[in-house]
Amino acid sequence: MKPFALLPLVCSLALPLAGQSIDRPTFGFSAQLNAPLGNLKEDTDKSLGAGASFLVQWNLTGGHAVRPRLDVNIFNVSSYEPRHSNYRESRNLSAAGAAVDYLYYVEGAPRGLYLTGGLGVTRWDLSYTTSDRIGNSFSSSYDRSKNTSSLSLAAGLGWQFTRIIGAEARFVHAPYKAFNLNDPTSTSRTEVNRDGNRLELAGTFRW
């Protein structure tokens, strides 16, 4: 079964909980920095990524909450350019996804410290390009892309400072497939499985 086929199931799990809401849903967004870990750290040359999410939250009784979200995250280009050479190769990674988070506010109300866990689906887009220098610019000699869809898991904690402003840190696991670039001199590009792990530091805003 394709991961995106599970998205309706993920959303349906949130509907019974949302029916217990004691307040109208609140809408918001988050802006986040992504610190890559593991394989993703290698594929991005340890560069930070950035992203944004659209949020809808239902606050339930007893400090529980359900929060569907839509995410877009972009990671910096990873480049390899040998010294004294006119050759260059690079990768560009982006991820778009949908998820449902469960939040638990320790104080029993939507304020202060909370814990969160989430389940979703992520689509990765990877582009791989080789190029040769011609004069002061580069001309593409090989261009290939790879798309991967996978289930994603998230876990973290946050702090709701006011009704509007909060901060959150979460670990995200969203696997993808990439091209093996461990041997830059090789002309063949085999596929390899990558863990897609990252740490997201986000500022959240709700209205």
Side-chain angles (χ1 to χ4, degrees):
M1 180 180 294
K2 293 184 178 180
F4 272 102
L6 296 176
L7 185 55
L9 174 61
V10 173
C11 294
S12 67
L13 293 176
L15 292 178
L17 292 175
Q20 304 174 29
S21 175
I22 60 175
D23 296 316
R24 65 175 180 83
T26 58
F27 300 88
F29 70 94
S30 69
Q32 58 250 12
L33 286 177
N34 302 312
L37 304 171
N39 299 148
L40 185 58
K41 186 175 182 179
E42 298 172 7
D43 289 346
T44 57
D45 287 342
K46 306 177 183 179
S47 298
L48 291 176
S53 302
F54 173 72
L55 313 171
V56 183
Q57 181 167 321
W58 281 272
N59 294 322
L60 315 177
T61 58
H64 305 282
V66 175
R67 184 184 65 186
R69 58 182 164 87
L70 299 175
D71 307 316
V72 176
N73 294 286
I74 299 174
F75 295 85
N76 291 344
V77 173
S78 170
S79 298
Y80 170 76
E81 187 174 350
R83 292 183 179 181
H84 311 296
S85 173
N86 291 323
Y87 172 80
R88 181 173 69 181
E89 58 185 31
S90 61
R91 278 170 293 191
N92 197 12
L93 275 167
S94 63
V100 176
D101 295 326
Y102 162 75
L103 288 75
Y104 174 69
Y105 292 89
V106 175
E107 294 186 20
R111 61 176 179 268
L113 179 67
Y114 64 87
L115 308 177
T116 179
L119 174 66
V121 178
T122 297
R123 173 190 167 96
W124 288 92
D125 291 296
L126 166 66
S127 63
Y128 170 65
T129 304
T130 65
S131 54
D132 298 296
R133 184 187 297 274
I134 300 177
N136 294 324
S137 62
F138 282 88
S139 176
S140 176
S141 57
Y142 179 78
D143 196 347
R144 187 178 176 187
S145 60
K146 177 69 180 176
N147 301 322
T148 305
S149 298
S150 66
L151 289 175
S152 61
L153 301 173
L157 53 83
W159 189 277
Q160 194 67 39
F161 296 102
T162 68
R163 185 181 66 85
I164 297 174
I165 301 174
E168 187 171 310
R170 59 177 176 259
F171 171 82
V172 179
H173 172 72
Y176 64 95
K177 292 184 182 295
F179 304 115
N180 186 4
L181 300 185
N182 289 333
D183 181 6
T185 62
S186 173
T187 57
S188 63
R189 298 301 177 209
T190 57
E191 290 185 357
V192 290
N193 295 318
R194 313 301 272 169
D195 55 35
N197 294 338
R198 65 184 184 271
L199 176 64
E200 293 187 354
L201 302 177
T204 62
F205 307 88
R206 293 190 294 156
W207 57 85

